[in-house]
CSV table of all heavy atoms in Angstrom, one decimal:
chain,number,residue,atom,x,y,z
A,311,SER,N,72.5,17.2,12.6
A,311,SER,CA,73.2,17.6,13.8
A,311,SER,C,72.3,17.5,15.0
A,311,SER,O,72.8,17.0,16.1
A,311,SER,CB,73.7,19.1,13.7
A,311,SER,OG,74.4,19.5,14.8
A,312,LEU,N,71.1,17.8,14.9
A,312,LEU,CA,70.1,17.6,16.0
A,312,LEU,C,70.0,16.2,16.4
A,312,LEU,O,69.8,15.8,17.6
A,312,LEU,CB,68.8,18.2,15.7
A,312,LEU,CG,68.5,19.7,16.0
A,312,LEU,CD1,67.2,20.2,15.4
A,312,LEU,CD2,68.5,19.9,17.5
A,313,SER,N,70.0,15.3,15.4
A,313,SER,CA,69.8,13.9,15.7
A,313,SER,C,71.0,13.4,16.6
A,313,SER,O,70.8,12.5,17.4
A,313,SER,CB,69.7,13.1,14.4
A,313,SER,OG,71.0,13.0,13.8
A,314,VAL,N,72.2,13.9,16.4
A,314,VAL,CA,73.3,13.6,17.2
A,314,VAL,C,73.1,14.0,18.7
A,314,VAL,O,73.3,13.3,19.6
A,314,VAL,CB,74.6,14.1,16.7
A,314,VAL,CG1,75.8,13.8,17.6
A,314,VAL,CG2,74.9,13.5,15.3
A,315,ALA,N,72.6,15.3,18.8
A,315,ALA,CA,72.3,15.8,20.1
A,315,ALA,C,71.2,14.9,20.8
A,315,ALA,O,71.3,14.7,22.1
A,315,ALA,CB,71.8,17.2,20.0
A,316,ARG,N,70.3,14.4,20.1
A,316,ARG,CA,69.3,13.6,20.7
A,316,ARG,C,69.9,12.2,21.2
A,316,ARG,O,69.6,11.7,22.2
A,316,ARG,CB,68.1,13.3,19.7
A,316,ARG,CG,67.3,14.5,19.4
A,316,ARG,CD,66.0,14.2,18.6
A,316,ARG,NE,65.4,15.4,18.1
A,316,ARG,CZ,65.5,15.8,16.9
A,316,ARG,NH1,66.2,15.2,16.0
A,316,ARG,NH2,64.8,16.9,16.5
A,317,THR,N,70.8,11.7,20.3
A,317,THR,CA,71.5,10.5,20.7
A,317,THR,C,72.3,10.6,21.9
A,317,THR,O,72.3,9.8,22.8
A,317,THR,CB,72.3,10.0,19.5
A,317,THR,OG1,71.5,9.7,18.4
A,317,THR,CG2,73.1,8.7,19.9
A,318,LEU,N,73.0,11.7,22.0
A,318,LEU,CA,73.8,12.0,23.2
A,318,LEU,C,72.9,12.2,24.4
A,318,LEU,O,73.3,11.8,25.5
A,318,LEU,CB,74.7,13.2,23.0
A,318,LEU,CG,75.8,13.1,21.9
A,318,LEU,CD1,76.4,14.4,21.6
A,318,LEU,CD2,76.8,12.1,22.3
A,319,THR,N,71.8,12.8,24.2
A,319,THR,CA,70.8,13.0,25.3
A,319,THR,C,70.4,11.7,25.9
A,319,THR,O,70.2,11.5,27.1
A,319,THR,CB,69.6,13.8,24.9
A,319,THR,OG1,70.0,15.1,24.5
A,319,THR,CG2,68.5,13.9,25.9
A,320,ASP,N,70.2,10.7,25.0
A,320,ASP,CA,69.8,9.4,25.3
A,320,ASP,C,70.9,8.5,25.8
A,320,ASP,O,70.7,7.3,26.2
A,320,ASP,CB,69.1,8.7,24.2
A,320,ASP,CG,67.8,9.4,23.8
A,320,ASP,OD1,67.2,10.1,24.6
A,320,ASP,OD2,67.3,9.2,22.6
A,321,GLY,N,72.1,9.0,25.9
A,321,GLY,CA,73.3,8.3,26.3
A,321,GLY,C,73.8,7.3,25.3
A,321,GLY,O,74.6,6.4,25.6
A,322,GLY,N,73.5,7.5,24.0
A,322,GLY,CA,74.0,6.6,23.0
A,322,GLY,C,75.3,7.0,22.4
A,322,GLY,O,75.9,8.1,22.7
A,323,ASP,N,75.9,6.1,21.6
A,323,ASP,CA,77.2,6.3,20.9
A,323,ASP,C,76.9,7.0,19.6
A,323,ASP,O,76.2,6.4,18.7
A,323,ASP,CB,77.9,5.0,20.7
A,323,ASP,CG,79.2,5.2,20.0
A,323,ASP,OD1,79.6,6.3,19.7
A,323,ASP,OD2,79.9,4.1,19.7
A,324,ALA,N,77.4,8.2,19.4
A,324,ALA,CA,77.1,9.0,18.2
A,324,ALA,C,78.3,9.2,17.4
A,324,ALA,O,78.3,10.1,16.5
A,324,ALA,CB,76.4,10.3,18.6
A,325,ALA,N,79.4,8.5,17.6
A,325,ALA,CA,80.7,8.7,16.9
A,325,ALA,C,80.5,8.7,15.4
A,325,ALA,O,81.1,9.6,14.7
A,325,ALA,CB,81.8,7.7,17.3
A,326,ASN,N,79.8,7.7,14.8
A,326,ASN,CA,79.7,7.6,13.4
A,326,ASN,C,78.8,8.7,12.8
A,326,ASN,O,79.2,9.4,11.8
A,326,ASN,CB,79.1,6.3,13.0
A,326,ASN,CG,79.4,5.8,11.6
A,326,ASN,OD1,80.6,5.8,11.3
A,326,ASN,ND2,78.4,5.5,10.8
A,327,GLN,N,77.7,9.0,13.5
A,327,GLN,CA,76.8,10.1,13.0
A,327,GLN,C,77.5,11.5,13.1
A,327,GLN,O,77.4,12.3,12.3
A,327,GLN,CB,75.5,10.2,13.9
A,327,GLN,CG,74.7,8.9,13.8
A,327,GLN,CD,74.9,8.0,14.9
A,327,GLN,OE1,76.1,7.6,15.2
A,327,GLN,NE2,73.9,7.5,15.6
A,328,ALA,N,78.3,11.6,14.2
A,328,ALA,CA,79.1,12.9,14.3
A,328,ALA,C,80.1,13.1,13.2
A,328,ALA,O,80.3,14.2,12.7
A,328,ALA,CB,79.8,12.9,15.7
A,329,ALA,N,80.8,12.0,12.8
A,329,ALA,CA,81.7,12.1,11.7
A,329,ALA,C,81.0,12.5,10.4
A,329,ALA,O,81.5,13.3,9.6
A,329,ALA,CB,82.4,10.8,11.5
A,330,LEU,N,79.8,12.0,10.2
A,330,LEU,CA,79.0,12.3,9.0
A,330,LEU,C,78.6,13.8,9.0
A,330,LEU,O,78.7,14.4,8.0
A,330,LEU,CB,77.8,11.4,9.0
A,330,LEU,CG,76.9,11.6,7.7
A,330,LEU,CD1,77.6,11.2,6.5
A,330,LEU,CD2,75.6,10.7,7.9
A,331,VAL,N,78.1,14.3,10.2
A,331,VAL,CA,77.8,15.7,10.3
A,331,VAL,C,79.0,16.6,10.0
A,331,VAL,O,78.9,17.5,9.2
A,331,VAL,CB,77.2,16.0,11.7
A,331,VAL,CG1,77.1,17.5,11.9
A,331,VAL,CG2,75.9,15.3,11.9
A,332,LYS,N,80.1,16.2,10.5
A,332,LYS,CA,81.3,17.0,10.3
A,332,LYS,C,81.7,17.0,8.8
A,332,LYS,O,82.1,18.1,8.3
A,332,LYS,CB,82.4,16.5,11.2
A,332,LYS,CG,83.6,17.4,11.3
A,332,LYS,CD,84.6,17.3,10.2
A,332,LYS,CE,85.8,18.2,10.4
A,332,LYS,NZ,86.7,18.2,9.3
A,333,ASP,N,81.7,15.9,8.2
A,333,ASP,CA,82.0,15.8,6.8
A,333,ASP,C,81.1,16.7,5.9
A,333,ASP,O,81.5,17.6,5.2
A,333,ASP,CB,82.0,14.3,6.3
A,333,ASP,CG,82.3,14.2,4.8
A,333,ASP,OD1,82.7,15.2,4.2
A,333,ASP,OD2,82.3,13.0,4.3
A,334,LEU,N,79.8,16.4,6.0
A,334,LEU,CA,78.8,17.1,5.2
A,334,LEU,C,78.7,18.6,5.6
A,334,LEU,O,78.6,19.5,4.7
A,334,LEU,CB,77.4,16.5,5.4
A,334,LEU,CG,77.3,15.1,4.9
A,334,LEU,CD1,75.9,14.5,5.2
A,334,LEU,CD2,77.5,15.0,3.4
A,335,GLY,N,78.8,18.9,6.9
A,335,GLY,CA,78.7,20.2,7.4
A,335,GLY,C,79.8,21.1,7.0
A,335,GLY,O,79.6,22.3,6.5
A,336,THR,N,81.0,20.7,7.1
A,336,THR,CA,82.2,21.5,6.8
A,336,THR,C,82.3,21.7,5.3
A,336,THR,O,82.8,22.7,4.8
A,336,THR,CB,83.5,21.0,7.4
A,336,THR,OG1,83.6,19.6,7.0
A,336,THR,CG2,83.4,21.0,8.9
A,337,ARG,N,81.9,20.7,4.5
A,337,ARG,CA,81.9,20.9,3.0
A,337,ARG,C,80.9,22.0,2.7
A,337,ARG,O,81.1,22.8,1.8
A,337,ARG,CB,81.5,19.6,2.3
A,337,ARG,CG,82.8,18.7,2.1
A,337,ARG,CD,82.5,17.6,1.1
A,337,ARG,NE,81.6,16.5,1.7
A,337,ARG,CZ,80.9,15.7,1.0
A,337,ARG,NH1,80.8,15.8,-0.3
A,337,ARG,NH2,80.2,14.7,1.6
A,338,PHE,N,79.7,21.9,3.3
A,338,PHE,CA,78.7,23.0,3.1
A,338,PHE,C,79.3,24.4,3.4
A,338,PHE,O,79.1,25.3,2.7
A,338,PHE,CB,77.5,22.7,3.9
A,338,PHE,CG,76.6,23.9,4.0
A,338,PHE,CD1,75.7,24.2,2.9
A,338,PHE,CD2,76.5,24.8,5.1
A,338,PHE,CE1,74.9,25.3,3.0
A,338,PHE,CE2,75.7,25.8,5.1
A,338,PHE,CZ,74.9,26.1,4.1
A,339,GLU,N,80.0,24.5,4.6
A,339,GLU,CA,80.6,25.7,5.0
A,339,GLU,C,81.5,26.3,3.9
A,339,GLU,O,81.5,27.4,3.6
A,339,GLU,CB,81.3,25.6,6.3
A,339,GLU,CG,80.4,25.4,7.5
A,339,GLU,CD,81.2,25.2,8.8
A,339,GLU,OE1,82.3,24.7,8.7
A,339,GLU,OE2,80.6,25.5,9.9
A,340,ALA,N,82.4,25.4,3.4
A,340,ALA,CA,83.4,25.8,2.4
A,340,ALA,C,82.7,26.2,1.1
A,340,ALA,O,83.1,27.3,0.6
A,340,ALA,CB,84.3,24.6,2.2
A,341,GLU,N,81.7,25.5,0.7
A,341,GLU,CA,81.0,25.8,-0.6
A,341,GLU,C,80.2,27.1,-0.4
A,341,GLU,O,80.0,27.8,-1.4
A,341,GLU,CB,80.1,24.6,-1.0
A,341,GLU,CG,80.9,23.4,-1.4
A,341,GLU,CD,80.0,22.2,-1.5
A,341,GLU,OE1,78.8,22.3,-1.3
A,341,GLU,OE2,80.6,21.1,-1.7
A,342,SER,N,79.7,27.4,0.8
A,342,SER,CA,78.8,28.5,1.0
A,342,SER,C,79.5,29.9,0.8
A,342,SER,O,78.9,30.9,0.4
A,342,SER,CB,78.2,28.5,2.4
A,342,SER,OG,79.2,28.8,3.4
């Protein structure tokens, strides 16, 4: 998630990385 924030800070396109964070992160939330 932090890597996406860094990409956005640098003005980069983070759409793909953001989708990955959302997939992995919300699965973790559900399993937790």
